[in-house]
Amino acid sequence: MTRMFALLALMPLGLIAGAPVWAAPAAPANAADSATELNVLHWWTSTSERAAADHVAARMAELGLRWVDGAVAGGGGGPAIKVLNERTLRGMAPKVAQLNGQATIEWAEMGLLLELDSVAKRRQWSRTMFPQVMAQLNVREHVVAAPLGIHRINNLYLNKAVFRRLKIELPTSWAGLASAAAALRAAGVTPVAFSDEPWQVATVFETLLLSEAGPALYRRMVEQRDPQAFNDPSVERAFQRLRDWRNLSGGAGERPWTSLVADFAAGHKAMLIMGDWARGELGTLGLEGGRDFACQAVPGSAGVHQFSIDTLAMLAGNYSAQAEQEKMAELLGSATLQLGYNRIKGSVPVRRDVPVDELDLCAQQSYQLFANPATARVPSLVHRMAFDEVGKNAFIETVHRFALDPKQTPAAAQRKLQGLLRALGPKSVKPTP
Ligand code: BGC
């Protein structure tokens, strides 16, 4: 909260008072053009992400809305959020921004987001959307973002052609993975695609934490931020697993997630732990989930859906674009857009009422699991479903330092994580359901 006030204090007065916040677009052809433009700041820059964004832009064009692109490269969105902060502080906020989970809450608490209650009511979002999705959109009883798709994080992808060619059985347990890795190595194939980019390391780690701790304890750690929960031996085991997994990758350094996917698709690496945006990217490379690659849960997390939900928030500014922003929000939540977009993106629809039988097997699996009331659904920390931006980044740095320092023991990393959690203090913002 203090940080938010600090941010507000830094803002140009005009912004707080609702003066125009977006720099005028360079010489619009005519008034109508500028009225229908919506600048969208996001981090979808891979081929599939781009195609999914283009799909939305094309549907918007049919409604007379122009998507003016503001893509900021950088998987996981760290750089994009920095740019959003910077632009907003300079009075140049975009009209629309990719803001997920806790980041949405932070921006809504500062009073910067347009409330979309009338759209949600008109389109009966509380009836058609999953309750967990609605919970992400609601801040202080107001809908403050429009949902796009639900990603699953705890996926293990196996390149079927490689396993078939080498006659190695598809592994489902950690022991099976270890022997498969040995066989792959013996055949000259690097077992694992892994990147040292901080957010990617931490994304793998949070799946391993879930795997070792199980959903109940994981919730105590990530949702409730209970420092005691971080004393559990599962944390040390998760760090050890991270080290082992990274050791199976041949140490390729910091690489964008798209190059891991490309390596995996080409069969240079046989296994990959990644959020299912990777499945979208594999699709653009001609690979189909279920047919060309197996999508399993990371061992130990079968039946658990570790989710992150992509949402677009509308920056209120001086409310001059409210009608267009509402029109866009309405479109994003529609059944047709949901199917078209998610098919490309690798995520699954946020609505309960769309037929998903045309999506690939992996998507159907993710959707059914998320839809099942008996499923344990747990939030992704790294993808903003549980911690605010600063706490999330501190978590990522702690995990990343461990990964890059072979001298740091898993027990020492656990102590650092405990220390971090104690220092961050209890959760102050609204809990995820
Ligand atoms: C976003 C995805 C995106 C991925 C890789 C995640 O944080 O939710 O939409 O594809 O990062 O950039």
Side-chain angles (χ1 to χ4, degrees):
M1 214 53 184
T2 324
R3 189 163 41 77
M4 286 172 194
F5 287 132
L7 185 57
L8 271 178
L10 284 171
M11 280 181 186
L13 258 181
L15 174 63
I16 300 168
V21 294
W22 182 255
N30 57 48
D33 274 0
S34 67
T36 56
E37 276 183 353
L38 289 173
N39 313 69
V40 188
L41 195 148
H42 61 92
W43 62 89
W44 294 311
T45 52
S46 78
T47 310
S48 54
E49 291 175 332
R50 194 60 270 167
D54 288 348
H55 179 83
V56 177
R59 299 290 81 74
M60 282 170 66
E62 290 163 7
L63 300 176
L65 298 172
R66 181 133 54 91
W67 167 301
V68 179
D69 200 66
V72 180
I81 297 291
K82 285 188 183 130
V83 171
L84 180 62
N85 275 303
E86 162 73 4
R87 291 200 70 118
T88 305
L89 287 170
R90 283 173 33 223
M92 296 168 63
K95 290 278 183 277
V96 184
Q98 184 181 359
L99 269 181
N100 296 346
Q102 299 295 310
T104 314
I105 296 177
E106 289 184 286
W107 284 71
E109 297 277 7
M110 289 190 283
L112 295 174
L113 303 186
L114 188 69
E115 287 168 4
L116 298 166
D117 299 324
S118 56
V119 175
K121 197 158 171 236
R122 196 164 54 244
R123 288 295 162 194
Q124 300 184 295
W125 281 7
S126 52
R127 196 175 54 78
T128 52
M129 308 278 171
F130 288 112
Q132 295 75 17
V133 170
M134 282 314 286
Q136 293 293 323
L137 308 180
N138 258 294
V139 177
R140 297 187 193 275
E141 311 301 321
H142 292 289
V143 173
V144 293
L148 267 168
I150 303 165
H151 276 299
R152 189 176 183 196
I153 308 295
N154 55 324
N155 312 290
L156 166 68
Y157 297 109
L158 305 170
N159 183 320
K160 280 187 163 178
V162 175
F163 280 87
R164 206 179 308 119
R165 178 165 54 84
L166 300 176
K167 299 191 174 49
I168 305 171
E169 223 175 284
L170 294 178
T172 53
S173 63
W174 287 118
L177 282 176
S179 42
L184 287 161
R185 261 199 175 143
V189 175
T190 308
V192 165
F194 187 94
S195 167
D196 283 341
E197 263 192 356
W199 75 272
Q200 292 193 61
V201 174
T203 300
V204 172
F205 177 73
E206 71 176 4
T207 71
L208 302 175
L209 191 60
L210 171 64
S211 158
E212 290 300 324
L217 186 58
Y218 176 91
R219 278 208 182 101
R220 268 182 60 207
M221 293 175 191
V222 167
E223 262 183 357
Q224 293 155 31
R225 280 203 210 170
D226 174 357
Q228 292 300 323
F230 283 87
N231 291 339
D232 193 81
S234 57
V235 179
E236 185 179 348
R237 291 200 306 271
F239 275 116
Q240 185 58 54
R241 285 235 183 272
L242 180 67
R243 180 148 291 161
D244 296 345
W245 191 248
R246 181 173 180 270
N247 284 342
L248 293 174
S249 71
E254 284 204 19
R255 300 170 67 217
W257 67 270
T258 43
S259 75
L260 266 58
V261 169
D263 266 5
F264 172 86
H268 302 320
K269 313 267 167 82
M271 310 195 270
L272 172 68
I273 293 178
M274 182 70 79
D276 50 13
W277 45 86
R279 195 160 43 72
E281 199 65 9
L282 286 165
T284 61
L285 295 169
L287 276 74
E288 190 185 308
R291 186 191 69 190
D292 303 310
F293 57 92
C295 41
Q296 305 179 358
V298 167
S301 71
V304 184
H305 199 299
Q306 190 176 33
F307 67 88
S308 112
I309 299 172
D310 277 325
T311 58
L312 287 177
M314 311 290 160
L315 283 292
N318 64 353
Y319 294 90
S320 62
Q322 182 169 356
E324 290 81 9
Q325 288 167 314
E326 288 183 351
K327 216 170 173 186
M328 179 176 176
E330 198 164 333
L331 169 73
L332 297 177
S334 71
T336 333
L337 188 288
Q338 279 293 309
L339 276 173
Y341 165 88
N342 283 297
R343 181 181 290 122
I344 307 170
K345 182 67 170 63
S347 41
V348 297
V350 291
R351 295 175 65 114
R352 304 195 266 196
D353 60 350
V354 292
V356 291
D357 40 317
E358 280 179 21
L359 301 181
D360 76 16
L361 290 175
C362 305
Q364 290 183 35
Q365 221 169 284
S366 168
Y367 185 84
Q368 309 303 358
L369 192 64
F370 194 86
N372 184 346
T375 297
R377 306 177 198 88
V378 300
S380 157
L381 188 164
V382 177
H383 296 279
R384 303 186 174 78
M385 297 293 111
F387 278 34
D388 60 25
E389 198 68 13
V390 173
K392 173 207 66 123
N393 287 340
F395 177 92
I396 292 178
E397 279 170 33
T398 307
V399 174
H400 184 238
R401 264 197 217 114
F402 163 78
L404 263 57
D405 177 4
K407 290 203 287 293
Q408 194 182 137
T409 64
Q414 175 170 16
R415 284 194 296 278
K416 283 189 201 304
L417 213 48
Q418 285 164 345
L420 172 68
L421 265 292
R422 271 195 302 273
L424 283 173
K427 192 173 169 76
S428 59
V429 283
K430 187 177 104 141
T432 40

